[in-house]
Amino acid sequence: MVEKHLLEFLEKLQFLISRNINIEHYGIEKIKRICGVDVAYKGNIGFSVAVSMDVSTEEYQYKSYSGEVSFPYIPGFLFMREAPIMMKAIEGLECDLLLVDGHGLAHPRKSGIATVIGVLLDFPTIGVAKSRLAGELITEGDIVYVYLGGQKVGVKFGRFFYSPGNKVDLQDCIDLGRRGYPKVLKIADMLTKKLKKE
DNA sequence: GCGACAG
DNA sequence: ATCTTGTCGC
């Protein structure tokens, strides 16, 4: 159980982080290497895997980290549970853009796990989630947007949600989403589950 | 009070 | 996320 005063404190940190987001166009086409990070669990042990892949050759390398995870999963506070071990797995890998399993701006306080990691590392990140956390879906033309507080904070392609973490913009999310579910995340998910079995 | 709720 | 077999559908 997590005390109310701690969550209120964490909310303040999230507002601080959200005020430090840099929304700017990156340009998906300029990416040489792309990274993806995911986590799987076996009881209270978390296994995180970060995959770095060359966009043109699809050659990839990965790094993993495992350790006890004590913070519980609380909607809106996923970063406290997974960001620490995700960042350990990412450490040392080289890439231009990092994809995080979870939301970025499409969060109640515009501070999803992809945003937290992006701001802490001062690095370009995009959150890719499998389900909605906040906001409403509005279709405009051929794009389904996630609206929150009257502004577009993400997009939905197929069954996946893409939202800016840091140093990218909605257009980058659209360009990424149109390419289908990122291979690096698929590989990271696969490795993460394989790792916890051994 | 009730429903919603990333992984 | 995880617990879990077969099964309906593209």
Side-chain angles (χ1 to χ4, degrees):
Chain A
M1 189 56 206
V2 178
E3 299 77 356
K4 187 193 305 178
H5 68 271
L6 177 51
L7 292 184
E8 293 176 350
F9 177 78
L10 292 176
E11 288 187 345
K12 292 179 180 179
L13 286 182
Q14 291 181 315
F15 282 125
L16 172 61
I17 288 171
S18 69
R19 288 198 296 276
N20 283 285
I21 302 172
N22 285 311
I23 294 301
E24 54 191 34
H25 187 61
Y26 184 93
I28 298 299
E29 70 285 350
K30 292 184 292 190
I31 296 173
K32 293 286 193 297
R33 292 193 75 83
I34 188 168
C35 278
V37 61
D38 191 19
V39 178
Y41 298 89
K42 184 168 127 185
N44 57 333
I45 303 299
F47 297 83
S48 60
V49 172
V51 174
S52 174
M53 168 185 273
D54 183 302
V55 176
S56 57
T57 68
E58 296 202 342
E59 159 278 323
Y60 72 83
Q61 49 182 284
Y62 71 90
K63 219 164 130 291
S64 63
Y65 181 87
S66 62
E68 177 161 355
V69 174
S70 54
F71 205 90
Y73 166 66
I74 300 175
F77 300 91
L78 175 66
F79 81 104
M80 284 296 289
R81 182 173 170 76
E82 306 193 335
I85 54 178
M86 278 185 169
M87 288 174 73
K88 292 299 289 184
I90 295 166
E91 221 168 62
L93 281 184
E94 300 293 326
C95 61
D96 309 308
L97 170 69
L98 172 65
L99 304 182
V100 180
D101 192 38
H103 290 288
L105 270 187
H107 175 280
R109 293 168 290 285
K110 301 188 188 319
S111 187
I113 189 169
T115 297
V116 174
I117 292 177
V119 170
L120 291 183
L121 298 179
D122 187 31
F123 197 81
T125 61
I126 287 180
V128 182
K130 304 176 188 63
S131 60
R132 187 192 68 89
L133 169 63
E136 58 179 314
L137 302 181
I138 295 181
T139 300
E140 286 180 29
D142 58 348
I143 296 179
V144 179
Y145 291 96
V146 177
Y147 268 83
L148 193 56
Q151 68 168 312
K152 301 185 180 79
V153 294
V155 290
K156 182 183 185 188
F157 283 94
R159 39 188 286 257
F160 304 103
F161 298 76
Y162 304 78
S163 61
N166 191 34
K167 295 192 161 185
V168 299
D169 63 9
L170 206 52
Q171 188 56 51
D172 288 319
C173 292
I174 292 173
D175 296 337
L176 179 72
R178 282 181 166 150
R179 299 185 178 188
Y181 191 69
K183 189 163 294 183
V184 279
L185 285 179
K186 184 53 198 170
I187 295 175
D189 176 72
M190 182 195 92
L191 292 176
T192 209
K193 289 174 180 170
K194 174 196 281 186
L195 241 171
K196 72 168 185 177
K197 291 181 180 177
E198 6 188 284

